[in-house]
């Protein structure tokens, strides 16, 4: 497998060598909006826009910036890169040049400080924390919305935003029966986050220890620690459907299929009917899936176990190709489709695979390290557009470079 030198690296700027160019003229806008995890169903497919130079600003060059520690998913809103953190933290970076536009710290002191989540609606970025939901105006960072959490001893378990509605999961008290809540709230309209928005549409109790929700195709899917997967009608909170014993550490939906990784001792990825939650297939039986899978067009599924990356046909279960990634140091990051290639990033390298053949190419870059252990830090979710890749790391470092 070819490895490029740092001189020709994918990401050529380290945290100690941050470049903050000031252009003579404003750069062109990036994509109008790019949602976390690539949007509805979290398929991790950036499409053709990932590599099209039509979406690259004229004067862009790689940069390194800073967000909050343990940064979670990011979204791109015009030229603003929004990165959420734990406890409701949120940082806005200039996507062209990397400098911080504004930043709000999260509340990590409360018990059960939530993992990061982010939704952007009509110029307002919404995040959930232990003290409720806050909406910050993208252009200046002013808080224009606040909604209190539901009464009771609940802890935030995650949220997903789709079509202007935020679906939030609240876990029940630790000394209770594991029953939590799923709520749906219409977010504000207009760049002040007001208008006719902000009202709660419905709420339902969810037993069994509810976790991070997933929304696609008019359904809300909620993994549960104790009782498998359950789904609800996204409009009403009714029409509950339970899976037949399949649980999900994480899930993704595309084209009527729901894939569940890390489900049980069988390993691999379970493929379910997204409406009935009936099992269709098990792909990669016996493999411990360590990388977030990616769902590509035409029923393609990419999975990784830390040693290999493989591509599968969901209709037949057939393995199309499998390639070694044993050269990758650190924790393997999620997989993504980017037009005709499949990419995977870890603390210091990016692996590119041709979707058609699996032909691999690896590139190196100087990822940040833990100052105590000198080990490479784990990276989070990525965003790719215009031949540019944005990568976040657990210490809050955000690195960009050419894809």
């Amino acid at each position: 497998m070819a490895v490029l030198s740092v001189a020709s690296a994918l990401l050529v700027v380290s945290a100690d060598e941050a470049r903050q160019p000031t252009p003579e003229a404003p750069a062109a806008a990036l994509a109008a909006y790019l949602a976390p995890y690539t949007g509805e169903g979290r398929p991790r497919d950036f499409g053709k826009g990932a590599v099209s130079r039509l979406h690259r600003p004229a004067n862009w060059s790689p940069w390194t910036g800073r967000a909050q520690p343990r940064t979670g998913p990011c979204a791109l809103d015009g030229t603003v890169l929004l990165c959420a953190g734990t406890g409701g933290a949120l940082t806005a970076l200039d996507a062209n040049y990397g400098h911080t536009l504004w930043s709000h710290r999260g509340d990590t002191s409360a018990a059960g400080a939530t993992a990061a989540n982010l939704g952007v609606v009509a110029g307002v970025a919404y995040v959930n924390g232990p003290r409720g939901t806050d909406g910050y105006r993208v252009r200046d960072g002013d808080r224009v919305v606040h909604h209190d959490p539901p009464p009771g001893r609940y802890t935030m378990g995650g949220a997903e935003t789709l079509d202007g509605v935020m679906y939030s999961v609240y876990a029940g008290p630790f000394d209770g029966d594991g029953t939590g809540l799923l709520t749906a709230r219409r977010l504000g309209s207009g760049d002040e986050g007001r208008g006719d928005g902000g009202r709660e549409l419905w709420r339902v109790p969810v037993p069994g220890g509810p976790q991070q929700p997933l929304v696609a195709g008019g359904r809300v899917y909620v993994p549960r620690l104790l009782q498998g997967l359950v789904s609800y009608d996204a409009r009403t909170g009714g029409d509950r459907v339970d899976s037949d014993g399949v649980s999900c550490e994480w899930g993704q939906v595309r084209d009527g299929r729901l894939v569940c990784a890390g489900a049980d001792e069988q390993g691999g990825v379970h493929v379910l009917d997204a409406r009935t939650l009936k099992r269709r297939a098990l792909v990669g039986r016996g493999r411990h899936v360590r990388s977030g899978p990616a769902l590509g067009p035409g029923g393609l599924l990419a999975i990784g176990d830390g040693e290999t990356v493989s591509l599968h046909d969901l209709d037949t279960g057939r393995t199309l190709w499998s390639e070694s990634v044993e050269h990758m140091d650190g924790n393997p990051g999620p997989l993504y489709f980017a037009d005709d290639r499949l990419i995977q990033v870890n603390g210091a390298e990016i692996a590119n695979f041709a979707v058609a053949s699996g032909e691999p190419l690896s590139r190196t870059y100087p990822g940040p390290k833990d100052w105590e252990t000198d080990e490479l830090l784990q990276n989070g979710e990525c965003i790719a557009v215009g031949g540019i890749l944005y990568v976040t790391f657990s210490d809050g470092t955000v690195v960009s470079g050419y894809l």
Side-chain angles (χ1 to χ4, degrees):
M1 182 176 293
V3 178
L4 304 186
S5 68
V6 174
S8 58
L10 163 75
L11 303 177
V12 297
V13 185
S14 72
D16 297 327
E17 300 172 331
R19 296 174 59 187
Q20 308 291 351
T22 301
E24 296 180 358
L30 293 165
Y33 178 62
L34 191 60
Y37 312 101
T38 73
E40 180 176 357
R42 299 187 170 204
R44 294 196 176 99
D45 180 7
F46 294 113
K48 294 184 181 300
V51 297
S52 172
R53 294 193 177 186
L54 294 176
H55 297 286
R56 183 185 300 174
N59 300 313
W60 187 88
S61 61
W63 52 259
T64 293
R66 296 290 301 179
Q68 308 282 343
R70 298 184 65 187
T71 291
C74 297
L76 194 63
D77 191 41
T79 60
V80 180
L81 183 68
L82 297 153
C83 293
T86 55
L90 185 61
T91 300
L93 301 172
D94 186 303
N96 292 331
Y97 310 113
H99 59 268
T100 300
L101 301 174
W102 50 263
S103 184
H104 295 282
R105 300 185 66 84
D107 179 5
T108 57
S109 61
T114 178
N117 67 272
L118 173 64
V120 183
V121 178
V124 176
Y126 294 85
V127 291
N128 279 343
R131 292 189 169 90
T133 303
D134 291 306
Y136 300 98
R137 198 162 49 202
V138 172
R139 69 169 181 259
D140 56 19
D142 286 354
R143 191 176 81 164
V144 294
V145 174
H146 174 77
H147 299 295
D148 290 332
R153 294 187 297 134
Y154 294 104
T155 55
M156 186 68 208
E160 185 89 338
T161 300
L162 183 66
D163 296 334
V165 178
M166 176 177 279
Y167 302 88
S168 303
V169 161
Y170 298 89
F174 292 111
D175 57 355
D177 62 1
T179 297
L181 289 176
L182 171 65
T183 68
R185 183 182 295 277
R186 172 71 60 184
L187 299 180
S189 59
D191 66 0
E192 297 294 330
R194 295 168 186 156
D196 62 352
R199 62 188 179 91
E200 185 174 283
L201 303 177
W202 51 260
R203 67 170 59 183
V204 294
V206 184
Q211 304 295 299
Q212 167 70 47
L214 172 70
V215 188
R219 304 292 296 177
V220 186
Y221 304 90
V222 183
R224 299 178 295 173
L225 287 175
L226 304 177
Q227 300 177 19
L229 182 72
V230 65
S231 76
Y232 301 87
D233 186 289
R235 297 171 300 166
T236 66
D239 188 21
R240 170 175 160 169
V241 177
D242 288 79
S243 67
D244 55 351
V246 175
S247 60
C248 284
E249 289 184 9
W250 59 70
Q252 293 159 274
V253 176
R254 186 168 188 170
D255 299 331
R257 303 177 181 91
L258 186 150
V259 299
C260 289
D264 51 38
E265 65 277 1
Q266 297 181 73
V269 175
H270 285 282
V271 184
L272 312 182
D273 182 282
R275 180 63 184 85
T276 66
L277 299 186
K278 299 297 184 183
R279 287 188 249 202
R280 288 183 173 183
L282 176 62
V283 177
R285 182 187 295 270
R287 293 177 64 186
H288 176 53
V289 178
R290 295 181 58 202
S291 303
L295 284 170
L300 297 177
L301 169 68
I303 61 176
D305 58 13
E307 297 180 354
T308 60
V309 168
S310 56
L311 188 69
H312 305 266
D313 185 316
L314 282 178
D315 290 326
T316 65
R318 185 166 61 96
T319 300
L320 302 177
W321 52 257
S322 180
E323 289 289 339
S324 169
V325 290
E326 294 179 358
H327 67 286
M328 295 188 82
D329 296 323
N331 295 309
L335 291 156
Y336 303 89
F337 285 93
D339 193 20
D340 59 353
R341 70 182 76 177
L342 182 71
I343 61 175
Q344 182 180 37
V345 182
N346 77 343
E349 295 168 304
I350 176 171
N352 277 270
F353 304 92
V355 171
S357 65
E359 180 182 358
L361 174 66
S362 175
R363 296 187 178 188
T364 62
Y365 64 92
K369 294 183 177 181
D370 184 288
W371 66 273
E372 291 183 333
T373 65
D374 201 39
E375 294 182 356
L376 291 165
L377 293 175
Q378 185 173 2
N379 64 275
E381 295 285 339
C382 303
I383 282 185
V385 61
I388 300 168
L389 187 68
Y390 300 93
V391 185
T392 62
F393 292 88
S394 57
D395 69 339
T397 299
V398 182
V399 182
S400 74
Y402 297 106
L403 180 61

